[in-house]
Amino acid sequence: MNHWTLAESPSAEKLTPYDLRCEHLATPSGIGVPVPRLSWRLASDRRGDAPTGHRVKVHNGDVLAWDSGWIDGQDVSVDYGGAPLTSFTRYTWQVEVRDGESAQSWFDTGVLHPDEWAAAWIAHDPETEPPFEPPKDDREPRTIRTSSLPAPRYFRRIVDLRPATAVRIACTARGLYELRVNGHRVGDGELTPGWTDYRQRVPYQVYDVTDLVGDGPLCVGAVLADGWWSGSLGWDGRQQAQRYGKTPQLLLQLVAEHADGSRTVIGTDGRWRETTGPLRYADLLMGESYDARLEHDGWDLPGFDDSTWAPARVADTDHSVLVPSVAEPVRVTQDLMPVETIARDGRTIVDLGQNIAGRIRLTLRGAEPGARVTLRHGEMLTADGDLYTENLRSAEATDHYVAAGLPEETFEPRFTVHGFRYVEVSGHADFDVVGRAMHSDTPVAGEFSSSDAMVNQLMSNIRWSQRDNFVSVPTDCPQRDERLGWTADAQVFLPTACYNADVAAFFTGWLADLRCAQDAVGGAVPDVVPHVMTERNGAPGWADAATVVPWHLYQVYGDERVLRDSLPSMRRWVDHVERHNPDLIWRNKVGSHYGDWLQAGVTTSREVMATAYFALSADLTAKAAQVLGDPSYERYAGLRTRIGEAFVREFVSSDGRITGDTQTAYLLALAHGLLPDDLVPAAVAHLVSDLERRGRRLTTGFAGVALLGPVLSAHGHADLAYALLHDDRYPSWGYSIKRGATTIWERWDGWTEESGFGPVAMNSFNHYTLGSVGAWLYGGVAGLGQEEGSVGYRRPLIRPLVGGMLRWASAAYETPLGRLASRWELDGGMLRLEVQIPPGAQATVHVPTTDPASVRESGTPVDQVCRVGSGSYSFTSAWG
Ligand code: BGC
C-alpha cells in the first residue's frame, strides 16, 4: 500500500472541476464553521480555456440548502451562503462550471453551537480501581524507566437506540483515543485527536457509524492512552510528562437521527464503565507494551459482562475548549517490506530500506503463551552492525509484546510512533514484520524528477522527512525525545512543503496554535508551537514564523482568511520587536537566539540575522495589511523602510561588505531586499567569492540554506547553485546521500568520515530543515513559480534553469487553479520545454536558449519570453 503519490493529471475536453474541497479538506466530517469555503480545481485540454462563471448548489438530503445562482468570474472557490447549517448533517454539494462540466462532493457538519454539547469528560477514577494483578511471571516486560507508566483504560457503554436512519459520533480525548462500535474500529485516523494547544483547543472528530449499527443494543467503546496530554513530551520526555493533565479523559457524543426527524443524543457520563486491559502502557516516546493474555474477548460488543469494570468518573463538563478538527488526520499511508534481515546473537535486525515515522506490524508464528517479544527501533547501524540508539536520548522507542500462544498472532502498537529505519526483534525467531509509515495525510500536490539520481534521491529524502515530521504538527524530528513544533524549522521549510503537499489545512490548524501560544500582552511568539516550554520566547527567525507562515500560505493558496486571522498576531509580534529595539537593530529580547543554527564552520552575526528577519516581518505585515485594506499598512511599510536604512547604516560598508562576511549574511540581505541597488552587485560578488574561496562549499545553517539556490540563480550564478546541488563532499546534501541517507539529516555532520556519528546530544537523521532546498528544485530547476504579486498562481512564471549536470528536469504541481507542469530536456544542441498551464491562469514562460531567435512553440516562432493562457505547450530552442 502506498497512497502518497501524485494523481494523474485529469484530462478533459472542456472545463471540468475536480479535487473538490470544503475548508481545504476533501469530504471532511465535522465542519464547525457557519460559512465553510467550498473550492475546486479545473482541468481542460483546450488552450486558452478560462472559467467565466460557476454555480454551486448545496443539498441537505433532498432539500436545497443553497443555490448560489450563476456567479460571474474566474473564482475557483465560494463561501457558503445558504440557510444556516445544522449540526451533525451530511451536505452534498455540486459545482457547475459555465460551458463546462459539473462535479459533486459532500461535507458533514460537527457541532455548530457550543450549547449542543451534552457530553462530559470522563476518566478513570483511582478510588474505584480494582487492584491490578499482573500474571505471575518474573520476566516483567517493562524496563525500569517505563515501569511506572500508567496503563491505558478501556471504556464502554451499551446504548439502546430506537431504529435510526443515521448515527454519528463526535469524539475526542484529552489524551489519545481509539473508538470502537460493535466490535469494529471506527475511522482510519491515528493518534487522534492530534496535538493542539490543549489548554485552549481540543479538536474533536466526527464519524458516521450508521453502517455499524444493527437493530439490537449498541456497544460504544474507546481505548484511552496518554499521548501528548499526559505522556512523555519533548526533551527529558518523562519529566515533561503530564504537561496538560494527570490522566487522560474521554468525551464522546452520539447523535442518532430517526425517520420522523427526531434525534437521540447520548453523551459520555458516569454510566460508562472502564478498566485496564492488554495494553500495559502506551507512550509516544517510550513505546507500547501489550500483553495478549489479558485481552477482554468481545469487550466492545453488546453481550460482554462488564460487571467487574468500574464506573467512570465525570472529570469535567467544560465544552469551551472543543474545536472541530481542521486538518487531515494522521494515517498510515504506506507499508514497507523489509529489504534485509540481519541475525545477531539471537536477535534479528530488520532493515526497511527507508527511514520512516510509524510503527511495525509484527506477525508471530508458533509463539508460546507468555513469550516476550521486544521491538527496538533505530535510524542507523553502528560500525559493527548493531542498532544505533544513542541519538534517541531518553526516548526508548521500544515496544513489548507478550504472546497469547496462538498459532499465529499479530501485534501493531497504536498509541506510539517511532522514527526508524531498522527494527531489532528479539524473543521469538519465527515472525514477519511490515513497516507502517504514518503522518498527517496532507494530499500530495507535487512531484519532481530529473536525469540525476542523486538529485532524485535528495527530493525523495526531502519528501520523506516532510512526511515523517508532519505528524499532527510540523515537528523537528520523529525519533528522539523532542518532536516539537519548532517554529523556524516550519517557516524555513514551508515553501518546500507546499510544493510537495497541500498543507493549507495542516498549517491553518498550526497557526491557530501559534496564535494561542503568542504572549497575549507582550506579543512574543515561542520557539515551539504548541507551546510547551515556558521561558523560551521570541527568537529571531523562530518567532518570525508568525508573519512568514500566514503570508506564504496566502500567496500559495490565495485564501485571504489566513491573513485576516493572523494580522493582529503579525502586528503584535512586530510591535514587540520594535518596542524593545527602538534603534531598529534587533539586539534586545532575542529569546534564546539560535543564530544561523547548525551553520558549517562560520558564525553569522546574530544582529545581522535578527535585523534581517525584523525587516522581513515588518514587510510581510505591511503587505498583509495592504491586502486587507487595513490602515496599519502605512505604519508597517514605513517601519520596514526604516529598518532597511538602519540595517545598511549598521552592517553594510561602502564596498557592499556585510558585518561577519558570511554566506548567510549576504543571502538574507539579498533575498529580503535590504541593500541599496548600487550595492547589490558588490554584495553578490562577496557571496560568490566566499563560495569560490572555499572551493564552492556552503557554510549556511537553517537561516541561509533555503536562500542559496534562489539568490544565486536570481543574480546570474545558477552554475554555483548547481555546483552546490551536485556536491558530495562535506558539507553538502550529497555527502549524506553518499552515506545512504533516505531522509534529510539534522546537521551537515550527522556522520563524517573523520569522526563517525556527530554529537549524540543532537543528531537526528530525519530533520527537514536543510531540505528547504526543495522549493528551488521545483521553483528554480524546473521553473514552476508565480510572478511577483501573483496570488494562488493566477500568474504563473515558468522559468526553468537549465544547467549543472542535468539533461532534463520535470515537475508537476497542483496549484489552487489546477495542474501546472514543466519538463525540459536537452537533446543535442536543442532544448525541448513542455509546459502545462491550468485554466484561468495567465502564465509567462521564459524559454531557456542561447539564441532567442531560435525559439518555437509547436514549430511556430515565438518570443523567448511569452505569455500563454491555459493548456499544454511545446517549445523548442537552440542550446549551446
Ligand atoms: C531542534 C531544532 C530547533 C532547535 C532550536 C533543536 O533541538 O531539533 O530543529 O530549531 O533545537 O535551536
Side-chain angles (χ1 to χ4, degrees):
M1 185 220 359
N2 174 11
H3 79 243
W4 220 75
T5 51
L6 186 65
E8 284 283 301
S9 175
S11 110
E13 279 169 16
K14 49 182 167 169
L15 285 169
T16 304
Y18 68 100
D19 254 1
L20 275 55
R21 304 282 170 88
C22 172
E23 289 290 303
H24 296 291
L25 296 165
T27 57
S29 291
I31 287 296
V33 289
V35 181
R37 174 158 299 184
L38 306 171
S39 61
W40 54 93
R41 294 186 160 96
L42 289 173
S44 169
D45 297 339
R46 278 197 314 226
R47 276 197 182 178
D49 234 355
T52 60
H54 57 267
R55 179 176 189 166
V56 169
K57 289 184 189 160
V58 181
H59 281 88
N60 169 2
D62 294 334
V63 180
L64 181 68
W66 185 45
D67 179 351
S68 71
W70 281 101
I71 300 174
D72 292 337
Q74 300 205 340
D75 283 350
V76 284
S77 71
V78 67
D79 290 347
Y80 174 75
L85 298 172
T86 315
S87 298
F88 290 106
T89 302
R90 161 82 39 108
Y91 288 87
T92 51
W93 65 281
Q94 183 199 41
V95 55
E96 189 183 345
V97 177
R98 187 179 287 143
D99 301 327
E101 302 285 351
S102 57
Q104 278 213 2
S105 187
W106 56 264
F107 63 89
D108 279 348
T109 50
V111 180
L112 289 153
H113 310 286
D115 57 5
E116 290 176 301
W117 283 108
W121 292 98
I122 58 170
H124 160 61
D125 184 350
E127 297 293 304
T128 60
E129 187 169 4
F132 170 64
E133 287 188 35
K136 283 273 170 279
D137 194 325
D138 51 8
R139 292 172 299 166
E140 175 58 46
R142 297 176 183 187
T143 64
I144 301 206
R145 266 203 213 122
T146 49
S147 60
S148 57
L149 295 184
R153 316 295 302 192
Y154 292 65
F155 289 75
R156 74 191 296 273
R157 185 182 164 195
I158 300 297
V159 176
D160 270 316
L161 267 187
R162 283 191 288 132
T165 50
V167 184
R168 293 194 176 79
I169 293 179
C171 189
T172 189
R174 287 166 163 160
L176 301 178
Y177 73 86
E178 183 183 286
L179 176 63
R180 306 195 61 94
V181 167
N182 281 351
H184 295 275
R185 182 181 169 191
V186 178
D188 59 359
E190 305 289 345
L191 308 179
T192 46
W195 187 16
T196 51
D197 193 331
Y198 294 137
R199 298 165 308 165
Q200 299 183 52
R201 307 173 61 237
V202 182
Y204 65 88
Q205 285 78 35
V206 176
Y207 305 97
D208 186 334
V209 296
T210 315
D211 291 346
L212 302 177
V213 178
D215 287 339
L218 174 67
C219 178
V220 185
V223 189
L224 211 53
D226 287 323
W228 295 282
W229 171 263
S230 45
S232 312
L233 197 65
W235 54 65
D236 295 332
R238 284 312 298 162
Q239 284 170 39
Q240 293 271 346
Q242 303 190 325
R243 167 149 288 271
Y244 297 99
K246 281 202 180 336
T247 47
Q249 301 172 4
L250 173 71
L251 183 141
L252 178 158
Q253 181 158 322
L254 177 147
V255 178
E257 218 168 280
H258 306 289
D260 61 2
S262 64
R263 287 180 164 193
T264 305
V265 177
I266 293 163
T268 32
D269 59 19
R271 282 174 288 181
W272 284 63
R273 300 185 75 78
E274 62 90 26
T275 190
T276 55
L279 257 179
R280 304 315 308 148
Y281 65 80
D283 185 276
L284 290 167
L285 299 179
M286 299 300 158
E288 203 163 295
S289 176
Y290 190 92
D291 189 335
R293 297 168 303 175
L294 303 178
E295 279 176 8
H296 307 293
D297 278 341
W299 72 274
D300 50 4
L301 289 168
F304 181 80
D305 173 12
D306 61 13
S307 55
T308 60
W309 291 34
R313 172 176 62 97
V314 171
D316 185 5
T317 52
D318 179 13
H319 301 133
S320 66
V321 290
L322 292 168
V323 293
S325 197
V326 295
E328 295 85 1
V330 173
R331 291 196 181 97
V332 172
T333 65
Q334 190 169 339
D335 285 341
L336 291 100
M337 305 313 273
V339 294
E340 200 185 347
T341 301
I342 311 151
R344 287 187 72 87
D345 322 324
R347 299 165 289 139
T348 310
I349 295 179
V350 177
D351 179 3
L352 297 177
Q354 174 63 52
N355 203 8
I356 63 168
R359 62 196 186 205
I360 285 293
R361 187 204 284 142
L362 170 77
T363 304
L364 297 178
R365 280 175 299 269
E368 294 292 322
R372 295 175 184 284
V373 180
T374 301
L375 302 173
R376 295 172 65 231
H377 303 76
E379 296 182 288
M380 302 287 270
L381 296 182
T382 62
D384 51 6
D386 240 319
L387 197 68
Y388 177 72
T389 56
E390 277 78 357
N391 67 330
L392 307 185
R393 304 195 306 220
S394 75
E396 287 205 351
T398 301
D399 301 326
H400 298 282
Y401 179 73
V402 183
L406 304 173
E408 187 169 293
E409 51 196 295
T410 298
F411 165 59
E412 183 172 344
R414 56 189 122 160
F415 296 122
T416 192
V417 56
H418 309 300
F420 68 107
R421 167 175 169 167
Y422 302 93
V423 59
E424 180 202 85
V425 186
S426 59
H428 188 72
D430 192 2
F431 66 84
D432 288 328
V433 297
V434 177
R436 311 212 76 207
M438 60 198 239
H439 51 88
S440 288
D441 194 9
T442 53
V444 180
E447 63 185 12
F448 169 94
S449 57
S450 75
S451 56
D452 187 280
M454 194 179 85
V455 173
N456 294 345
Q457 185 65 47
L458 171 61
M459 182 52 87
S460 169
N461 294 3
I462 293 169
R463 288 165 79 85
W464 271 106
S465 282
Q466 174 168 342
R467 294 169 71 173
D468 298 341
N469 279 297
F470 281 13
V471 178
S472 190
V473 305
T475 64
D476 55 338
C477 56
Q479 73 298 84
R480 68 178 177 226
D481 56 353
E482 189 150 2
R483 312 182 192 186
L484 300 174
W486 285 94
T487 40
D489 306 41
Q491 65 92 354
V492 166
F493 188 68
L494 180 65
T496 301
C498 290
Y499 277 116
N500 282 329
D502 183 339
V503 295
F506 180 78
F507 273 101
T508 300
W510 189 71
L511 273 181
D513 285 326
L514 184 144
R515 294 191 295 269
C516 290
Q518 185 172 18
D519 183 332
V521 184
V525 174
D527 299 357
V528 297
V529 169
H531 186 20
V532 288
M533 295 184 307
T534 42
E535 73 291 8
R536 293 163 188 265
N537 277 340
W542 271 250
D544 297 287
T547 58
V548 176
V549 174
W551 179 253
H552 192 77
L553 292 179
Y554 167 66
Q555 281 194 300
V556 171
Y557 299 110
D559 187 344
E560 244 177 60
R561 295 176 306 171
V562 69
L563 295 185
R564 234 180 285 150
D565 292 344
S566 295
L567 183 61
S569 137
M570 297 166 88
R571 290 174 45 178
R572 268 194 297 134
W573 165 239
V574 174
D575 293 351
H576 162 87
V577 181
E578 187 192 9
R579 193 172 333 116
H580 295 285
N581 297 280
D583 69 349
L584 307 185
I585 300 301
W586 187 1
R587 300 187 183 89
N588 307 314
K589 285 281 178 189
V590 287
S592 13
H593 204 333
Y594 304 103
D596 187 16
W597 188 243
L598 297 179
Q599 53 204 318
V602 300
T603 305
T604 289
S605 151
R606 284 168 187 247
E607 284 78 22
V608 166
M609 177 187 146
T611 308
Y613 264 104
F614 184 21
L616 175 64
S617 277
D619 185 38
L620 301 183
T621 305
K623 286 180 167 145
Q626 190 177 31
V627 169
L628 299 175
D630 189 279
S632 63
Y633 163 69
E634 301 284 341
R635 155 161 160 60
Y636 293 98
L639 176 63
R640 162 63 185 80
T641 307
R642 287 186 295 118
I643 301 170
E645 289 159 3
F647 183 93
V648 173
R649 246 193 337 266
E650 185 77 15
F651 304 121
V652 186
S653 35
S654 55
D655 64 353
R657 254 185 221 291
I658 300 176
T659 303
D661 207 18
T662 64
Q663 294 171 17
T664 292
Y666 293 109
L667 291 166
L668 285 168
L670 289 163
H672 303 316
L674 287 163
L675 301 172
D677 289 350
D678 59 327
L679 288 184
V680 168
V684 172
H686 296 314
L687 168 64
V688 168
S689 86
D690 185 87
L691 279 157
E692 295 289 4
R693 186 168 61 82
R694 295 172 188 278
R696 303 190 151 196
R697 277 181 222 208
L698 55 78
T699 60
T700 49
F702 278 27
V705 65
L707 308 176
L708 281 164
V711 169
L712 286 169
S713 33
H715 292 281
H717 295 281
D719 56 327
L720 258 180
Y722 268 116
L724 297 171
L725 178 68
H726 292 305
D727 199 359
D728 64 5
R729 301 161 304 166
Y730 171 77
S732 68
W733 296 281
Y735 187 76
S736 66
I737 292 170
K738 216 166 53 170
R739 271 298 299 173
T742 60
T743 39
I744 299 292
W745 293 357
E746 173 174 26
R747 45 197 313 143
W748 299 113
D749 60 354
W751 186 95
T752 57
E753 265 142 51
E754 295 70 41
S755 323
F757 285 112
V760 290
M762 217 189 70
N763 197 15
S764 143
F765 290 95
N766 203 351
H767 241 73
Y768 49 62
T769 316
L770 297 181
S772 52
V773 62
W776 180 70
L777 296 179
Y778 280 101
V781 174
L784 294 187
Q786 56 181 332
E787 291 201 45
E788 183 72 40
S790 160
V791 166
Y793 287 86
R794 284 277 163 200
R795 286 181 288 123
L797 174 64
I798 308 234
R799 192 177 198 164
L801 285 170
V802 176
M805 293 173 352
L806 300 186
R807 280 180 296 100
W808 60 266
S810 160
Y813 174 57
E814 285 293 333
T815 73
L817 303 180
R819 181 74 55 108
L820 181 70
S822 93
R823 183 182 199 284
W824 61 262
E825 177 158 19
L826 292 173
D827 184 0
M830 268 257 288
L831 174 95
R832 204 179 308 282
L833 171 67
E834 318 271 343
V835 306
Q836 183 186 342
I837 312 297
Q842 279 296 325
T844 305
V845 182
H846 289 244
V847 183
T849 185
T850 44
D851 173 12
S854 68
V855 180
R856 305 275 181 279
E857 194 286 308
S858 301
T860 309
V862 290
D863 288 345
Q864 186 199 352
V865 178
C866 45
R867 302 262 292 158
V868 293
S870 72
S872 298
Y873 300 84
S874 181
F875 298 92
T876 52
S877 65
W879 185 266

